[in-house]
Amino acid sequence: MVHWTDEERQAISSTWAEINVEEVGHQALARVLVVYPWTQRYFSTFGNLSKPSAIAGNPKVRAHGKTVLVALGDAIKNLDNVKATYAKLSELHSEKLHVDPENFKLLGETLIISLAAQFGAAFTPDIQAAWQKLMAVVTAALSKQYY
């Protein structure tokens, strides 16, 4: 079990309260698809992902980005049991979708970049550290079914 300090919980929850789930989810997923183009293979049903502008304007990318962040909200509500919270998602991504678990880490990185861009100087190193920890826990929970 992961130990969360009161400061980490506060950093995550206060930042989360300010996030536009649809917008930040879209930014993070679009960034993954542009920066790491090999991840596009998991989204073959999304249509045109041929260039950054097509990805940015793709409504399926926007919708899935929101879905991802809504699921992240579930982890935030259940910080003390993220592994159980994500058990079915881990199974789906491993057994049905066959997503390389390294991609969860990449998405976590682009999410943190998106948060830093949104919050600027208010996204302090302490807040970033709490989010890095959260994304490591989420990545481990989503990867659980693989090992």
Side-chain angles (χ1 to χ4, degrees):
M1 185 164 123
V2 177
H3 172 73
W4 297 98
T5 67
D6 291 340
E7 292 80 12
E8 289 169 333
R9 290 176 188 273
Q10 177 60 34
I12 292 166
S13 64
S14 64
T15 306
W16 183 251
E18 300 291 321
I19 291 175
N20 176 325
V21 172
E22 182 174 355
E23 192 56 39
V24 173
H26 176 248
Q27 290 170 6
L29 182 57
R31 187 176 292 266
V32 164
L33 296 171
V34 171
V35 176
Y36 310 105
W38 61 88
T39 61
Q40 294 175 18
R41 70 177 176 243
Y42 300 111
F43 301 96
S44 61
T45 63
F46 279 30
N48 184 7
L49 301 175
S50 63
K51 56 187 176 181
S53 60
I55 292 168
N58 188 308
K60 290 183 178 181
V61 172
R62 178 172 289 281
H64 191 66
K66 181 179 179 180
T67 298
V68 168
L69 253 62
V70 167
L72 181 60
D74 293 339
I76 292 169
K77 290 179 209 160
N78 297 287
L79 284 176
D80 293 319
N81 205 356
V82 175
K83 195 178 288 186
T85 301
Y86 278 3
K88 289 196 182 303
L89 272 178
S90 178
E91 185 176 337
L92 170 70
H93 284 82
S94 114
E95 305 294 326
K96 183 178 179 191
L97 302 175
H98 308 289
V99 174
D100 181 340
E102 181 66 19
N103 293 306
F104 305 135
K105 182 179 178 183
L106 299 176
L107 183 60
E109 290 173 4
T110 61
L111 173 62
I112 289 169
I113 290 167
S114 297
L115 293 175
Q118 177 180 337
F119 290 101
F123 197 70
T124 64
D126 288 341
I127 292 172
Q128 180 181 347
W131 277 89
Q132 294 281 166
K133 181 176 177 178
L134 172 63
M135 296 317 301
V137 169
V138 164
T139 296
L142 285 169
S143 301
K144 178 181 180 278
Q145 188 67 27
Y146 292 82
Y147 308 108

